[in-house]
Each structure stands twice: as structure tokens, then as C-alpha cells.
Amino acid sequence: MRVFSLENVINEFEVLSKDAGRQQTETLRWILEQNGEAEYLQSLGLAGRTDPESFKACVLDTSPVLTGKPITSISLSSGTTQGKPKFVPFNDELLQSTMQIYCTSFAFRNREYPIGNGKALQFIYSSKRVTTKGGLTARTATSNVFQSEQFKHTMKDIQSQCCSPDEVIFGPDFQQSLYCHLLCGLIFSDEVQTISSTFAHSIVHAFGTFEHVWEELCADIREGVLSSRITVPSIRAAVSKLLRPNPSLADSIHNVCVRLSNWYGVIPELWPNAKYVYGIMTGSMEPYLKKLRHYAGSLPLMSADYGSSEGWIGANVNPSLPPELATFAVLPNIGYFEFIPLEKSEVQDLEKSASTIHYIEAEPIGLTEVEVGKEYEIVGRHREGSRLPSTPEIQFVCRRSLVLSINIDKNTEKDLQLAVEAAALLAEEKVEVVDFTSHADTSTEPGHYVIYWELSCDATEEVLRACCNCLDLSFVDAGYVGSRKVGAIGPLELRVVRRGTFQTILHHYLGLGAAVSQFKTPRFVGLSNSTVLQILCRNVTGCTFSTAYGP
Ligand code: AMP
């Protein structure tokens, strides 16, 4: 019998984080000792030294992966940052640190919102499994985690066992898995304590689908027979075992669904014992919060931890903060982290007398040397821009490598998100921006920004024109404003795409081996991403140009 003590987990976390500097040195020593035999480390001339100074002197930050222990499998990153998935080694250490971070943030969550014994409605999905030339299994990092025994034990420890059988999580057809997650969630509706997914997008997507399939779900529950849309034999067999004719449950679901106004609060209505909704809600997930709050009604939203296929970075130990303010406490024993200070500097562009923001990069510093209020790029096993309000809690700002740019202008995914938020407010009450992305069109002179919007229903031309002008004016980066004023960047173009376009984009990524569990809509689509660009262009139903800087 495993004994899981929340207090122990929290105490352990506190001991670790109070002594973060020593922990980092120890962690680095441990990593270098474990991997001392690795060919790569041998070639750097560390000669057995394991201290931070020697490490900094010998290892450049472009270092390839260090590993001395066997790699158990390969993780495929989502590929939504660089356009194509990266192959990252996965091993038991990574699995252990994943469990550590799950338990740590759960302990803090449970202190404020205790859950009882029960189940979790988790919208989690595995990716396709491929075998590398070297004979290793490659799939997304989340799939590597979900299939492990430790994951199942940990979920049991933290009272978060998934309602759905493994056949649903690992099913080969995402739509069928999604339908069955919903069905299993409804079958166990009394027991469900939490609703979650890795990234919040999956929850919003699931309830968007629920709006269309709820009657079919009710029919399955009423008759005790699984819909013919489920054709994968393993999924059919596993889910059919859970299904019994239950007309009273079907009636109560039906009554809730017909009573709701535009699906507001559907989650607590159907899962009355649910305590909160949980998943990554920061960064590129923020645009989905509005819809998520709509479905969640009175239930609190809790943002999950910060990590990547390469490794974890921090846990959300202040779960009651709204997702927009979420911070992550870096766990000093799960990796060795360096931070590149990013200073914004106004650089005058003489020719156009516009100024643009460049980051001045300084030498990387250690975890305990970071200063409150400054922005840094994290160098661990990957790179991000993050803001550090207090040691060692960080706030996610954006992925630094992603920028929308024509010439001297620079706008991050955060800038785009803020512009879209401002413009969306102008859309009529009933019209929602379901999803969005952008493209820097330089095929004509001068180049211009193209923003793609998928809307929940048609908007009038007048509204779209107002939104388009608002978008153009919302990019306040000095390089952009200056270039627009002198005509070095042309009027911003807003293109509306058909409903379901972003669903097609999601399917395109799934076809490449990505998994819904790690999907992040690409916010900038470059020419190199020609398939996604073609999907967008094929689906344009209308476009309008900004007149914000004159006709
Ligand atoms: P993947 O490519 O699937 O490994 O996803 C890793 C990326 O997801 C990170 O580099 C981040 O950009 C993003 N990410 C992960 N956790 C968070 C978080 N809590 N908030 C914002 N973005 C996150």
C-alpha cells in the first residue's frame, strides 16, 4: 500500500526551494557525474569536473543533449514552435521529475481545493507511435508519460484516475477518443472530481464538440449501446463494457442541455461534484480562457505547470491565482537552469526615424541570481522568454523565437494576442473569435501583416472593418508604428476563414505525428509552413484592409 502525504510533498518542496543555490550546484554535479562517460561531454574537456564554473567555461548553450543513461524512448515535441517536431531523448529521470512536479502542484492545489476520492475527466490523447532507425519508440512526451506505470500510480495517489480506459487514451482516432472521453465522463458523472487536459485548448475543443454530439451521447446512455461512429474495435470493446442502459442519467443530461443558455456553465451542471478545471492556461492558451470560463461557469480554473518535451521547469504552487497571473516555482533539483537577462533598448532607425525594440543579451546567470521584475530567456534544455517576479518563481511571457516581423518591426505572440483581444471586443456580442493566427506577407511591396480569424458566426462588413483598424492600431511596437506611418509596411489585412479551418490545421499536425494533448495553434505561419498557409488561404471567406493610417 502506497502512502501519499501532501504535507510531506509540500515540506520537501519548501526545503528544496529555500536552498535553491546549493540544489542547483548539486543537480549539475549529479547530471555531469551520471553522464561523464557520454561521448559529447568527453569531447568538451571537462575532465571529470562538475562545478558550475567549469561547466560554463566548457559547454556552450547550443550544447546537444547530454546523457549517460540509456534512453528509453524518444519524445517528439509538438512542432508548433519551430514548424516541425524535434526528437528529444526520454528516460526514467524525466519520468520521475514529471511525477515530482505533478505531486508538488497537486499538494498545493489540494490544500486550497481538496478533492475527495473519485475520478478525473481527462481529455488526454496519445500520439502515433513510430520506430526510429535506431529501433527506439518515438511518440510525444505526454504519450511517453501516459503509458508509464508510474503515471497510473501517481494518478491514483492524487485521486485523479482517468474515467476512460487506456484504449480510449491510446486510440488511433482522435475524434473517436474524444467522443468516448465525453461518454465515460458522463457515465461516471457523480464521481468526477476534476476536469483536465494537458493544454486548455483540448478542453475548449472537447466542449465545442459536445455541443454537437450531446444528443448522440444521451442516446448511447439511454440504450446502453455505443454509437456506430465508434469503429475502432479496441475502443468499442473497452467502452461497451462500461455502458449499461441508464434512462434516468440520459434524461438528466438531456434536461441540463436543453435548459442551458448557450452552454454557459455546462461543466458544473453535468459534473456537480467537480471542484475545478485544470490544465496549462498560460502563454498561447490564454486566448481560450474566455471560452473556458464560459463552459466552467462557477468552477475555478487552475493553471498547470510549466515544462516542455525536453524537461520540466516549474510547478504552479499558487493555484488560486487566476491563470493570467500564474507563476511557476522552479524546482531546483530537476534540472540545471541558466537565465539570459533580456534588456529592452530603444534603437533609433535613422532612415525612417522610427525606433524598434531590440533585446540586449547579457551573460547567463544562475537560478538564484535572478532579479525581481526582469525578463530572462531560460536556458535549460530549451529557450523561452520569462519574467521573474520573485526568486525562484517565474511568469511565462512568450516563446522568444516567435515573432511577427516585416522589416524593423517585431511583435511577439503576446503582442498578437493582446491585439486580437482588443479587436475582438468590437465584434458584436454574438460573434466570437474561435481561433486566430497571422502571416507576414512580403509577396507584395511593401509587405503587410495578415491576421486570420475564425469566427463563431458571420460578422457584418462594418464590424470587420472596425476590428481590422483596431488590430492595426493595437500593434504599438515603435518599429511597426513608424513603418506604417511612412508606408514601409502596408495596411494590415484581416482575413476571415470558414468555420472548422483551425480544426483542419489541428488534423494536419496530427497527421504529422503530433498529439492533441500537446497541440498549440501556431500563431505565426511562415512561408516554410506552406501546408498550413494553403489551408488558411483555401478557406478565406472574406477580407478587409485597415484604413487606420489613412486609406
Ligand atoms: P512541446 O513542444 O510539446 O514540448 O511543448 C513545450 C512548449 O509548450 C514550451 O516550450 C512552451 O512554449 C509551452 N508551454 C509549456 N508549459 C507552458 C505553460 N505553463 N505556459 C505557457 N506555455 C507553456
Coordinates of all heavy atoms in Angstrom, one line a residue, residues 76-81 199 280 282-284 303-310 328 382 384 396 399 518 520, ligand 1:
L76 N 8.7 13.3 -29.2 CA 8.5 14.2 -30.3 C 7.9 15.5 -29.8 O 6.8 15.4 -29.2 CB 7.6 13.6 -31.4 CG 8.1 12.3 -32.1 CD1 7.0 11.7 -32.9 CD2 9.3 12.7 -32.9
S77 N 8.5 16.6 -29.9 CA 7.9 17.9 -29.4 C 6.7 18.2 -30.3 O 6.6 17.6 -31.4 CB 8.9 19.0 -29.4 OG 9.2 19.5 -30.7
S78 N 5.9 19.2 -29.9 CA 4.7 19.5 -30.6 C 5.0 20.0 -32.0 O 4.1 19.9 -32.9 CB 3.8 20.5 -29.9 OG 4.5 21.7 -29.7
G79 N 6.1 20.6 -32.2 CA 6.5 21.2 -33.5 C 5.7 22.4 -33.8 O 5.8 22.9 -35.0
T80 N 5.1 23.0 -32.8 CA 4.3 24.2 -33.2 C 5.2 25.5 -32.9 O 4.7 26.6 -33.2 CB 3.0 24.3 -32.4 OG1 3.3 23.9 -31.0 CG2 2.0 23.4 -32.9
T81 N 6.4 25.3 -32.4 CA 7.2 26.5 -32.2 C 8.1 26.6 -33.5 O 8.2 27.7 -34.1 CB 8.1 26.4 -30.9 OG1 7.3 26.2 -29.8 CG2 9.0 27.6 -30.7
F199 N -3.1 20.8 -22.2 CA -3.3 22.2 -22.6 C -4.8 22.6 -22.6 O -5.6 21.8 -23.1 CB -2.6 22.5 -23.9 CG -1.1 22.6 -23.8 CD1 -0.3 21.5 -24.1 CD2 -0.5 23.7 -23.5 CE1 1.0 21.5 -24.0 CE2 0.9 23.8 -23.4 CZ 1.7 22.7 -23.6
I280 N -2.9 23.5 -18.6 CA -2.0 24.7 -18.9 C -2.9 25.8 -19.5 O -3.5 25.5 -20.6 CB -0.8 24.3 -19.8 CG1 0.2 23.4 -19.0 CG2 -0.1 25.6 -20.2 CD1 1.3 22.8 -19.8
T282 N -1.7 29.2 -19.5 CA -0.8 30.4 -19.8 C -0.3 30.4 -21.2 O -0.5 29.5 -21.9 CB 0.3 30.4 -18.7 OG1 0.7 29.0 -18.5 CG2 -0.1 31.0 -17.4
G283 N 0.4 31.5 -21.5 CA 1.1 31.6 -22.8 C 0.0 31.5 -24.0 O -1.0 32.2 -23.9
S284 N 0.3 30.6 -24.9 CA -0.6 30.6 -26.1 C -1.9 30.0 -25.8 O -2.8 29.8 -26.7 CB 0.1 29.9 -27.3 OG 0.6 28.6 -26.8
S303 N -4.4 26.8 -13.4 CA -3.4 26.6 -14.4 C -2.3 25.6 -14.0 O -1.9 25.6 -12.8 CB -2.7 28.0 -14.7 OG -2.0 27.9 -15.9
A304 N -1.9 24.8 -14.9 CA -1.0 23.7 -14.6 C 0.5 24.2 -14.8 O 0.7 25.4 -14.9 CB -1.3 22.5 -15.5
D305 N 1.4 23.2 -14.7 CA 2.8 23.5 -14.6 C 3.5 24.0 -15.9 O 2.8 24.0 -16.9 CB 3.5 22.3 -14.0 CG 2.8 21.8 -12.8 OD1 2.4 22.7 -11.9 OD2 2.5 20.6 -12.7
Y306 N 4.8 24.3 -15.8 CA 5.5 24.8 -17.0 C 6.6 23.8 -17.3 O 7.5 23.5 -16.5 CB 6.0 26.2 -16.6 CG 6.9 26.8 -17.7 CD1 6.8 26.5 -19.0 CD2 7.8 27.8 -17.3 CE1 7.6 27.1 -20.0 CE2 8.6 28.5 -18.2 CZ 8.5 28.1 -19.6 OH 9.3 28.7 -20.5
G307 N 6.5 23.3 -18.5 CA 7.6 22.4 -19.0 C 7.6 22.2 -20.5 O 6.9 23.0 -21.2
S308 N 8.3 21.3 -20.9 CA 8.4 21.0 -22.3 C 8.8 19.6 -22.5 O 9.2 18.9 -21.6 CB 9.4 21.9 -23.0 OG 10.7 21.6 -22.6
S309 N 8.9 19.2 -23.8 CA 9.3 17.8 -24.1 C 10.7 17.5 -23.5 O 11.1 16.4 -23.2 CB 9.3 17.5 -25.6 OG 8.1 17.8 -26.1
E310 N 11.5 18.6 -23.5 CA 12.9 18.4 -23.0 C 13.0 18.2 -21.5 O 14.0 17.6 -21.0 CB 13.8 19.7 -23.4 CG 14.0 19.8 -24.9 CD 12.9 20.7 -25.5 OE1 11.7 20.7 -25.0 OE2 13.1 21.2 -26.6
F328 N 5.3 30.2 -11.7 CA 5.9 28.8 -11.6 C 7.1 28.8 -10.7 O 8.0 29.6 -11.0 CB 6.2 28.2 -13.0 CG 5.0 28.3 -13.9 CD1 4.9 29.4 -14.8 CD2 4.0 27.4 -13.8 CE1 3.8 29.5 -15.7 CE2 2.9 27.5 -14.7 CZ 2.8 28.6 -15.6
H382 N 16.0 24.0 -23.3 CA 15.3 24.8 -24.3 C 15.3 26.3 -24.0 O 15.7 26.6 -22.9 CB 14.0 24.2 -24.7 CG 13.0 24.4 -23.6 ND1 11.7 24.7 -23.8 CD2 13.1 24.2 -22.3 CE1 11.0 24.7 -22.7 NE2 11.9 24.5 -21.7
E384 N 13.2 30.1 -23.7 CA 12.0 30.8 -23.6 C 12.3 32.2 -23.0 O 13.3 32.4 -22.4 CB 11.0 30.1 -22.5 CG 10.8 28.7 -22.7 CD 9.7 28.4 -23.7 OE1 9.1 29.3 -24.2 OE2 9.4 27.2 -23.9
F396 N 5.4 33.1 -17.2 CA 5.6 32.9 -18.7 C 5.2 34.1 -19.4 O 4.1 34.6 -19.2 CB 4.8 31.6 -19.1 CG 5.0 31.2 -20.5 CD1 6.0 30.3 -20.9 CD2 4.3 31.8 -21.5 CE1 6.2 30.0 -22.2 CE2 4.5 31.5 -22.9 CZ 5.5 30.5 -23.2
R399 N 7.1 32.7 -26.2 CA 8.2 32.0 -26.8 C 9.0 33.0 -27.5 O 8.5 33.7 -28.4 CB 7.6 30.9 -27.7 CG 7.0 29.8 -26.9 CD 6.4 28.8 -27.8 NE 5.1 29.2 -28.3 CZ 4.3 28.4 -29.1 NH1 4.7 27.2 -29.4 NH2 3.1 28.8 -29.5
Q518 N -0.7 17.9 -26.9 CA 0.4 18.9 -26.8 C 0.2 20.0 -27.9 O 1.1 20.8 -28.1 CB 1.7 18.2 -27.1 CG 2.4 17.7 -25.8 CD 3.6 16.9 -26.0 OE1 3.5 15.7 -25.8 NE2 4.7 17.5 -26.4
K520 N -0.6 23.3 -29.8 CA -0.7 24.7 -29.7 C -0.9 25.3 -31.0 O 0.0 25.1 -31.9 CB 0.5 25.3 -29.0 CG 0.8 24.7 -27.6 CD 2.3 24.8 -27.3 CE 2.8 23.7 -26.5 NZ 3.1 22.5 -27.3
Ligands
AMP1 P1 6.3 20.8 -26.6 O1 6.7 21.5 -27.9 O2 5.1 20.0 -26.9 O3 7.3 20.1 -25.9 O4 5.7 22.0 -25.7 C1 6.6 22.8 -25.0 C2 6.2 24.2 -25.1 O5 4.9 24.4 -24.5 C3 7.1 25.1 -24.2 O6 8.2 25.4 -24.9 C4 6.2 26.3 -24.0 O7 6.2 27.2 -25.1 C5 4.8 25.7 -23.9 N1 4.4 25.6 -22.5 C6 4.6 24.5 -21.7 N2 4.1 24.8 -20.5 C7 3.6 26.0 -20.5 C8 3.0 26.9 -19.6 N3 2.7 26.5 -18.4 N4 2.6 28.1 -20.0 C9 2.9 28.5 -21.3 N5 3.4 27.8 -22.2 C10 3.8 26.6 -21.8

